[in-house]
Amino acid sequence: MEMGMIGLGRMGGNMTRRLVSGGHRVVAYDPLKATVEEVVAEGAIGATSIPDLAKKLAKPRIVWLMVPAGESSERAVSALTAELSRGDIIIDGGNANYKDSMRRAAALSQKGIIFLDAGVSGGLWGLEEGYCLMVGGDESAFRRVEPLLKTLAPSPEKGYGHVGPSGAGHFVKMVHNGIEYALMESYAEGFEMMKAKSDFSFDLHQVAEIWRYGSVVRSWLLDLTARALEEDTELSDVGSYVGDSGEGRWMVQESVELAVPLPAITQSLQARFRSRQEQPFAGKLLAALRNQFGGHVVKKVKT
């Protein structure tokens, strides 16, 4: 089977490699020429532009987008719309907002172009382990692209599926990432507690390894925790700045609209915000208030 891949970042490039190794014909394009050359060396067919990619695919065409959510994906969909025709399929595998995906699917349907939204999980390990794929949109189109999904998934029987109408795939991925935020925060807080208990001198890597087997908290995230701590127990070269790519925010916003309480996920998102502040104003004000009403000592900031 053949398809086009637009966006050859770490995940898009590795997905292309997995598809090529699985026997699929992949036409690949990325604004960075060097990334195209890398996958061409491994069996993909290079394209110099989106119009060139569309010309190199037989109709009806399947094009997979792996570009950042927002303006980048909007531009890519717009550029593709000008090149594709009735019966072609666009799969957005980026972490787009599900409402954008619903809007794009409706607009493209007017032109006879089918839009599938695919939540993709697997990170850097997907090339070897396979990707978890949550697909929303027309079910008959899902069946058309299923051979590609079977190759990308951890196995032809597991780790992928059609989860509902347009927007459903990216909604499920949003929830997936929100859960991920809370799980990561729980591990981080637990290991910080053990590190703070200095009189026990815990070997944090040892504890992580013990928990990996038979424990009710074992998981792939715990496997990665053990891996990180094995490399450097103190994490001495790692800053405490934690970013977020948007899905956690969208999930918390959605929880307000649906009146669904998400205390753990909301707090994990807030913890990421706090991690980016070297001298949070709220903390300064708390210290100033204690000084005002009780004369408590205020720690001065060195300038």
Side-chain angles (χ1 to χ4, degrees), residues 154-183:
S155 83
E157 296 80 30
K158 297 179 180 179
Y160 78 95
H162 179 260
V163 297
S166 296
H170 283 155
F171 188 93
V172 171
K173 181 57 163 55
M174 175 188 74
V175 174
H176 166 284
N177 283 24
I179 293 170
E180 178 185 298
Y181 279 32
L183 289 173

Side-chain angles (χ1 to χ4, degrees), residues 2-6 25-29 53 57 62-65:
E2 73 168 23
M3 62 163 278
M5 175 69 76
I6 297 177
R25 178 180 184 269
V26 182
V27 180
Y29 169 70
L53 178 141
L57 292 170
I62 300 170
V63 182
W64 195 303
L65 297 177

Side-chain angles (χ1 to χ4, degrees), residues 112-270:
I113 300 171
I114 303 163
F115 183 90
L116 296 175
D117 51 287
V120 181
S121 182
L124 300 177
W125 298 88
L127 178 59
E128 298 176 8
E129 303 292 336
Y131 297 91
C132 176
L133 303 159
M134 309 141 248
V135 184
D138 180 76
E139 188 167 5
S140 63
F142 167 82
R143 297 301 173 195
R144 280 176 55 190
V145 305
E146 195 168 8
L148 299 169
L149 304 177
K150 287 177 179 288
T151 300
L152 289 170
S155 83
E157 296 80 30
K158 297 179 180 179
Y160 78 95
H162 179 260
V163 297
S166 296
H170 283 155
F171 188 93
V172 171
K173 181 57 163 55
M174 175 188 74
V175 174
H176 166 284
N177 283 24
I179 293 170
E180 178 185 298
Y181 279 32
L183 289 173
M184 291 171 69
E185 180 64 22
S186 294
Y187 283 127
E189 291 177 8
F191 278 87
E192 183 172 25
M193 173 73 81
M194 288 186 286
K195 184 172 178 56
K197 192 65 174 175
S198 57
D199 48 330
F200 283 164
S201 299
F202 288 118
D203 180 336
L204 298 184
H205 174 247
Q206 179 200 29
V207 173
E209 287 291 347
I210 292 170
W211 285 357
R212 288 180 62 204
Y213 303 96
S215 166
V216 296
V217 298
R218 65 188 184 274
S219 72
W220 185 52
L221 286 173
L222 183 60
D223 294 343
L224 296 178
T225 299
R227 185 170 181 264
L229 293 172
E230 181 180 24
E231 294 172 358
D232 179 4
T233 305
E234 297 297 319
L235 302 179
S236 53
D237 293 332
V238 181
S240 61
Y241 183 106
V242 185
D244 72 284
S245 54
E247 299 90 336
R249 299 185 189 210
W250 300 336
M251 189 170 178
V252 171
Q253 292 164 357
E254 191 74 19
S255 76
V256 175
E257 294 181 19
L258 296 176
V260 174
L262 303 178
I265 291 172
T266 301
Q267 287 301 315
S268 67
L269 176 64
Q270 296 293 333

